[in-house]
Amino acid sequence: MDITFIGAGYVGLVSGIMMSHLGHNVTCIDTDQDKILALQLGMLPIYEPGLSEYLVSGLKSARLQFTSRYDQKLSSTSAIFITVGTPPLASGAADLSNIFAAIDQLRPWINQNCLIIIKSTVPPGTASQLIEYLAASNCQAQIASNPEFLREGSAVEDFLRPDRIVIGTNQLRSRHLLREIYAPLIADKIAVVSTDLQTSELIKYVSNAFLATKIAFINEMANLCEKIDADIEQVSKGVGLDSRISQKCLQAGPGFGGSCFPKDVMALSSLAQTHQVDCQIVTAVIRANQRRPADMVNKIQLILGGLNHRTLAVLGLTFKAGTDDLRSSPALEIIRLLQLQKARVIAYDPAGMTQAKQFIPGLEYASSALQACTGADALIITTEWPEFTKLDFRTIHDYLKSPIIIDLRNLLDADQLTKQGFQYHSIGRRYAL
Ligand code: UGA
């Protein structure tokens, strides 16, 4: 089938490239000409494990094309996925201007047989609003909703083996077309939830808000564990083995970040306020997560007995491992707060340092974890990169001014490090092991 993606950002690129792998002829349109040029040459502008191989094979098979032009070819495409960004407005509500701009660009080229599928995360009611918007200019194209649930860092696997595919339509024909697009995955017994437009749009927000709630909750329980000498890792395991709860999103840490959870819980809260529904849990999750970085900095301060003129090696800048994305990264907020308290921070990250330069100008960077640790008063782990578990801790012990590790991701082996002479601190476990 001929499919077009509008917006070659994270969602558009992963979905577009992987749709071509499913056998569709895919064209990705993006107004950023430099990005399109790079993609035409097989170069990915994002860091996503495994995706590059699918990009190269898609280009080779000629089933994958990239362009910055909206033109006549659009009139023969069967389905157009909108995958542009919906960043938060100052109110917390989603900014839909990119969606409307994309629809305006498409309008001259599309006919009533075309199905426009909104994949961007949008508040319930947006698809219906777009149907009215198109009808007002005599454009009868159909609109559907098909939210995505890909996680950065494991997006290829998530695309090929999703827990479910959610399809929101107001017409049988649209539903059939979407099932046809996903036919290879449906044949693999992936569950499909077929529903109406608003419900489909809401499923996305409720999913992200529920997962964010689990994280905020386990982080609060970690605080409690520290007071009563219990172990949050064991609590998570003992609780998560209940299949009604599951182990996922029960890892305590410095708070959730990224381009989705913080934005989507805010948008859900704003939606609830608009409709005068008192969603207290959502509000509490936002508040609990916003104070998490400050709690982490207080913890560091208590351990070190002050921050003024302390040198800290901070390992990890990205909002989680496996990505170069720094958006709403708790690590960046922690660094900002440490610097406010006059600590000297030397940072290292395996993938995020180039991008970080735009976020925190003037931050000192090391070329390796070992270099960051040289002469530092403590080593702080802020992102759970697996390679940090393989560091040469014997050498690090000698290079640090004092052998203190504060592991805000509970990533490292507490027993081993203690045996090696470190004072090891973590989240939700005894103060120092
Ligand atoms: C999230 C959702 O998991 C995806 O299903 C969804 O498609 C995506 O948002 C989106 O809306 O586009 P992502 O932002 O890539 O995906 O990241 P997650 O792996 O879910 O992690 C989000 C944040 O929560 C990270 O900061 C991570 O470190 C934190 N987290 C996650 C925890 O602190 N503990 C956990 O147990 C899990």
Side-chain angles (χ1 to χ4, degrees):
M1 195 185 296
D2 286 344
I3 298 178
T4 301
F5 280 80
I6 307 295
Y10 185 80
V11 174
L13 267 182
V14 174
S15 315
I17 292 170
M18 296 312 292
M19 283 285 185
S20 80
H21 170 71
L22 293 189
H24 300 299
N25 293 316
V26 174
T27 305
C28 296
I29 302 182
D30 196 288
T31 44
D32 182 339
Q33 296 195 0
D34 291 341
K35 189 195 273 183
I36 291 298
L37 212 62
L39 285 163
Q40 286 166 341
L41 296 171
M43 288 184 290
L44 267 183
I46 54 168
Y47 174 90
E48 185 58 45
L51 189 61
S52 198
E53 288 82 339
Y54 287 101
L55 167 66
V56 172
S57 77
L59 288 169
K60 256 195 204 142
S61 69
R63 278 201 307 271
L64 184 60
Q65 287 177 28
F66 296 94
T67 177
S68 47
R69 279 205 312 275
Y70 286 76
D71 61 20
Q72 189 62 37
K73 271 172 64 188
L74 279 163
S75 52
S76 58
T77 195
S78 312
I80 300 175
F81 282 90
I82 306 285
T83 49
V84 294
T86 51
L89 292 164
S91 64
D95 179 357
L96 300 179
S97 56
N98 290 332
I99 303 253
F100 280 89
I103 296 283
D104 286 341
Q105 296 253 54
L106 285 171
R107 198 166 21 196
W109 309 107
I110 50 179
N111 57 46
Q112 78 240 38
N113 295 321
C114 181
L115 179 64
I116 299 176
I117 304 149
I118 311 298
K119 206 174 227 327
S120 308
T121 301
V122 293
T126 303
S128 305
Q129 212 182 322
L130 290 171
I131 291 171
E132 281 175 28
Y133 185 69
L134 284 171
S137 58
N138 284 329
C139 179
Q140 304 301 328
Q142 287 308 306
I143 302 269
S145 158
N146 171 225
E148 64 83 25
F149 301 96
L150 307 172
R151 285 165 304 169
E152 292 188 24
S154 54
V156 169
E157 182 61 19
D158 288 349
F159 181 92
L160 293 172
R161 272 166 282 278
D163 289 333
R164 76 304 206 187
I165 297 165
V166 175
I167 291 174
T169 52
N170 62 350
Q171 278 207 344
L172 211 53
R173 195 185 141 263
S174 311
R175 183 176 294 184
H176 287 157
L177 194 77
L178 266 158
R179 288 188 70 96
E180 208 181 316
I181 292 172
Y182 284 107
L185 299 184
I186 295 172
D188 267 354
K189 306 228 169 345
I190 302 296
V192 178
V193 178
S194 294
T195 182
D196 59 76
L197 296 167
Q198 281 88 279
T199 306
S200 165
E201 290 167 328
L202 186 60
I203 286 172
K204 169 71 187 192
Y205 279 113
V206 176
S207 296
N208 274 2
F210 192 78
L211 296 172
T213 304
K214 284 184 81 175
I215 299 166
F217 182 76
I218 208 69
N219 284 342
E220 282 193 345
M221 294 307 108
N223 292 345
L224 185 60
C225 282
E226 287 178 17
K227 295 283 180 205
I228 62 169
D229 204 10
D231 182 337
I232 194 64
E233 294 299 315
Q234 296 298 315
V235 170
S236 289
K237 189 174 176 194
V239 168
L241 281 170
D242 183 329
S243 60
R244 294 170 301 174
I245 298 174
S246 109
Q247 306 268 5
K248 310 257 174 77
C249 285
L250 282 187
Q251 176 64 54
F256 59 77
S259 61
C260 306
F261 283 179
K263 160 177 90 73
D264 292 349
V265 280
M266 293 283 280
L268 187 60
S269 169
S270 160
L271 180 76
Q273 275 169 34
T274 306
H275 295 277
Q276 283 152 23
V277 177
D278 187 12
C279 284
Q280 294 186 31
I281 295 173
V282 180
T283 312
V285 168
I286 295 170
R287 209 176 316 124
N289 197 59
Q290 279 173 346
R291 57 175 280 187
R292 192 78 185 149
D295 287 351
M296 297 297 98
V297 171
N298 284 342
K299 183 183 172 85
I300 298 168
Q301 187 175 25
L302 269 175
I303 293 168
L304 299 181
L307 290 168
N308 202 359
H309 299 303
R310 296 300 178 101
T311 301
L312 304 173
V314 172
L315 301 192
L317 294 166
T318 54
F319 80 94
K320 64 173 184 179
T323 175
D324 62 353
D325 198 339
L326 291 128
R327 286 174 288 176
S328 299
S329 172
L332 298 191
E333 182 60 7
I334 288 169
I335 290 173
R336 193 185 69 79
L337 294 172
L338 289 170
Q339 287 181 327
L340 260 183
Q341 302 212 39
K342 306 265 182 304
R344 177 181 172 212
V345 175
I346 307 193
Y348 172 75
D349 187 281
M353 293 209 287
T354 318
Q355 317 260 25
K357 290 176 184 152
Q358 306 155 25
F359 285 84
I360 311 190
L363 176 63
E364 290 179 68
Y365 297 96
S367 58
S368 66
L370 196 60
Q371 196 196 39
C373 293
T374 308
D377 290 295
L379 157 58
I380 298 165
I381 302 276
T382 38
T383 309
E384 74 286 16
W385 284 100
E387 58 201 87
F388 295 158
T389 61
K390 300 188 191 95
L391 292 171
D392 175 359
F393 283 100
R394 281 185 200 287
T395 312
I396 286 182
H397 186 279
D398 295 341
Y399 279 34
L400 282 169
K401 210 191 284 171
S402 31
I404 300 174
I405 296 181
I406 306 171
D407 180 358
L408 303 180
R409 294 281 187 171
N410 291 359
L411 176 73
L412 306 177
D413 185 332
D415 290 340
Q416 202 187 337
L417 290 170
T418 313
K419 274 186 208 135
Q420 287 176 358
F422 283 98
Q423 194 191 115
Y424 175 79
H425 302 264
S426 57
I427 295 283
R429 294 190 286 199
R430 260 166 296 169
Y431 191 63
L433 288 171

